[in-house]
Structures are given as structure tokens and as C-alpha cells.
Amino acid sequence: MDLKNKTTADFILLGLFPSCRYPNLLIFLILFIYTLASAGNSILILLIWLDPRLHTPMYFLLSQLSLIDLAYISSTVPKAATNYFTGRQNISFFACATQMFSFLTLGLAECILLTLMAYGRYVAVCNPLRYTILMSPKVCLKMAASTWIGAVGAALVHTIYPMNFPICGSRKINHYFCEMPAILRMSCVDTSVYEMVKFVSTIIFLLTPFTLILTSYTLIFLTVLRMNSPKGRNKDLATCSSHLTVVSLYFGQAIFIYMTPTSSHTPDQDQVGAVLGTIVTPMLNPLIYSLRNKEVVGALQKCSGRCCNRDSARSLQ
């Protein structure tokens, strides 16, 4: 197959769980979750930007996480919904490559950022006297920059490689977006070498960060358990367990999809993992990481109070 034919032929996205008996219910459920995730992350970004009390290292990293989640879920759901309602399933070669690159960049950036956030929480709980030095604004900016640079570099490699494998026969992708395993499944050449590259990359970008996060939270748990205040101890334990739940959900599905050979799991299993990682997790992150915090709730009440006062003043005029 020559390059011209390869880059002009469209792929066909079969959509979200093509064999589902209730596709209308499924797509509206996904759109409802998308609305919640978009609203939650947008509100959080706005509050952190508007309220000076939230201009801290922790909330700066949280704003980056919300930005990633907002872009992450928007890289797949709108296209899937558009295809469903218009009845068009095609996606061009370059659009497919762009979607894969965006998806991988945002996913890898989230892995790195969750690791840095766990480190920041470890410093705050276990080494609070050095927090202002170890988590200074300059350090946080470097963290954010390294997150994006590392993610873009790795995503570029894992987009160019799969998209250059020759495809034989059908160009139907049994997925609702262009994901690496779905593209590899259509290839008619031996991809075992690339599978090994993917395995090593997964260790670097998924398994290693997950291990570091577990280590950070283990040290946090041990420190919290030695606290004298039962109220503070219970609060920190509840917060840490909530964080670990989301981290385990996200990393678990990512490791399953990318660390195991593509042939070892079905397209439906890939879709379940993708839904958990790219749709459910972006909805849960703002709820668990921030909207439960008193500082964020206070900022939300303050912002709402200002809006109500402005509306009252306008009505009196």
C-alpha cells in the first residue's frame, strides 16, 4: 500500500459498544457524564483563577489536572456523539492520527501529574517545614512544563509507529475513537517488536508512576496514623483513600490495556477500560480532589454570593 492511498483512505469508527441493545440510552448517559465532567472541571479552573486564596502549589497542580481532564474527555466524546447522531462513522487518516496523539498526550500528562501531586501531598504531610521550598511556584512551573514535554514526546513516538503499520482488508475500528490497540489489531504485519516497545514505555510512564504514588501514600498513611488528633487523622485517611481509589481506577485500566499484548484482550474490554479512564475518571477527579475541600467550597460560595449581589443591585436599578 503506498503512502498516498494510506493517508487518503478513511477509517470507520464502529462506535461505543456496537452490540449494545440500548444505544440511545448509552449515548445519552455518556453525554450526561460529559456535561458533569466539563462543568466540574471548568468551575474548578475558574475558581482557582479567581480566588487568591487558592493560588497555592496544590491548587495550581489541581488546575492543571482539571485542564487535562477537560481536554481529555473532549478529545473523544464529541466526535463519538457527532458520529452517532449524524450516522457518519468515517474519520480521516490525519484526523485519526491527531485524535490518537491528543489522547495519548493527555493520558500520559495525567499519569505524570498525578505522580507529582502525590509527591506534593507527601511533602505537605510528612515534611511540612520544607513545603514552601520543595513546592515553590518556580518548582511547580517546572513540574507542569516537564509534564507536558514528557507527555508530548512519548505520545509522538506512539502515534507515528502504529499509524505507519500497513493495514490489510477492512479499515473498521471496533471502538468509538482511534486508540492504539484498535489500530494495531488491524495491522497485517508482525507487531511483536512494537509490543515490546509499548511494554517498556508502559513500565516507564505507567507502572513506575503508579509505584511512586503508592509509595507516597503509604508514607502519608504511616504519618497520619501517628497523629494525635483523631478528627484530623480520620479526615486525612478519608481524603487519601478517595485519591487512591481514582488513581487505582485510572492506572489499573491503563496498565491492563497498554501493558498486556493487544491480542490478549477483546475490543469490548478495551472499550470498558477506555470509558473508565477517559470518561468516568475526568468526572470523578474534580469531585474527589477538590470540590470536597473546604477552601474550594468557600471560594464557590464567595463567587456565588458576588453574582447574587450583582444581580440584586441590577434589579434595584
Side-chain angles (χ1 to χ4, degrees):
M1 180 181 293
D2 60 34
L3 183 62
K4 182 178 179 181
N5 290 332
K6 184 177 180 180
T7 56
T8 54
D10 288 353
F11 291 100
I12 303 298
L13 293 172
L14 297 184
L16 187 64
F17 301 111
S19 59
C20 177
R21 295 177 59 184
Y22 306 101
N24 291 337
L25 178 62
L26 181 62
I27 195 67
F28 281 111
L29 177 61
I30 295 299
L31 287 175
F32 177 70
I33 295 175
Y34 174 71
T35 303
L36 290 180
S38 300
N41 286 293
S42 299
I43 289 171
L44 187 55
I45 293 171
L46 185 63
L47 289 176
I48 293 174
W49 181 59
L50 291 176
D51 197 320
R53 293 175 299 177
L54 301 182
H55 294 174
T56 63
M58 180 181 74
Y59 287 110
F60 170 75
L61 295 179
L62 282 173
S63 68
Q64 292 292 304
L65 180 65
S66 290
L67 183 62
I68 290 172
D69 281 337
L70 189 59
Y72 201 23
I73 194 170
S74 297
S75 68
T76 59
V77 173
K79 175 62 177 174
T82 300
N83 283 3
Y84 177 79
F85 288 114
T86 61
R88 297 178 181 176
Q89 296 179 306
N90 63 301
I91 182 171
S92 69
F93 177 88
F94 290 107
C96 184
T98 301
Q99 189 178 55
M100 184 187 293
F101 173 72
S102 302
F103 170 80
L104 288 173
T105 298
L106 295 164
L108 290 168
E110 182 149 352
C111 292
I112 299 171
L113 190 62
L114 287 172
T115 308
L116 296 176
M117 288 171 63
Y119 167 75
R121 187 154 186 83
Y122 159 76
V123 174
V125 175
C126 302
N127 202 352
L129 296 179
R130 299 191 63 193
Y131 183 79
T132 54
I133 298 174
L134 296 176
M135 295 295 294
S136 65
K138 187 176 181 180
V139 171
C140 289
L141 287 174
K142 289 181 178 179
M143 285 181 173
S146 63
T147 295
W148 288 106
I149 292 172
V152 167
L156 196 60
V157 172
H158 289 289
T159 300
I160 294 174
Y161 247 101
M163 295 303 292
N164 275 287
F165 284 136
I167 296 171
C168 302
S170 174
R171 299 177 73 86
K172 294 180 180 179
I173 301 176
N174 194 356
H175 216 306
Y176 63 97
F177 69 97
C178 289
E179 193 182 27
M180 182 206 305
I183 299 296
L184 290 178
R185 199 171 277 113
M186 296 189 301
S187 176
C188 57
V189 297
D190 182 16
T191 61
S192 57
V193 175
Y194 176 72
E195 292 280 4
M196 182 57 65
V197 173
K198 186 182 73 168
F199 179 80
V200 173
S201 298
T202 305
I203 293 177
I204 296 173
F205 287 97
L206 289 177
L207 196 59
T208 301
F210 184 60
T211 303
L212 292 174
I213 291 172
L214 288 181
T215 302
S216 297
Y217 277 109
T218 299
L219 295 174
I220 291 171
F221 272 122
L222 294 175
T223 302
V224 169
L225 289 174
R226 292 195 294 266
M227 289 182 176
N228 295 323
S229 171
K231 184 177 180 180
R233 181 170 61 247
N234 293 335
K235 178 184 176 182
D236 286 339
L237 286 174
T239 302
C240 290
S241 61
S242 298
H243 292 183
L244 277 177
T245 300
V246 174
V247 167
S248 300
L249 179 67
Y250 177 79
F251 278 92
Q253 61 83 25
I255 290 172
F256 169 74
I257 293 175
Y258 293 103
M259 201 166 186
T260 57
T262 303
S263 58
S264 67
H265 37 87
T266 65
D268 283 346
Q269 289 174 331
D270 287 343
Q271 289 212 35
V272 170
V275 168
L276 290 176
T278 65
I279 298 177
V280 176
T281 302
M283 179 193 68
L284 293 178
N285 276 342
L287 296 174
I288 290 179
Y289 275 94
S290 300
L291 296 181
R292 293 176 58 191
N293 292 1
K294 290 183 179 180
E295 293 88 352
V296 176
V297 174
L300 183 60
Q301 291 173 343
K302 182 180 177 181
C303 184
S304 301
R306 285 179 179 175
C307 293
C308 291
N309 291 336
R310 288 176 183 174
D311 291 339
S312 299
R314 288 174 182 174
S315 63
L316 291 174
Q317 291 176 357

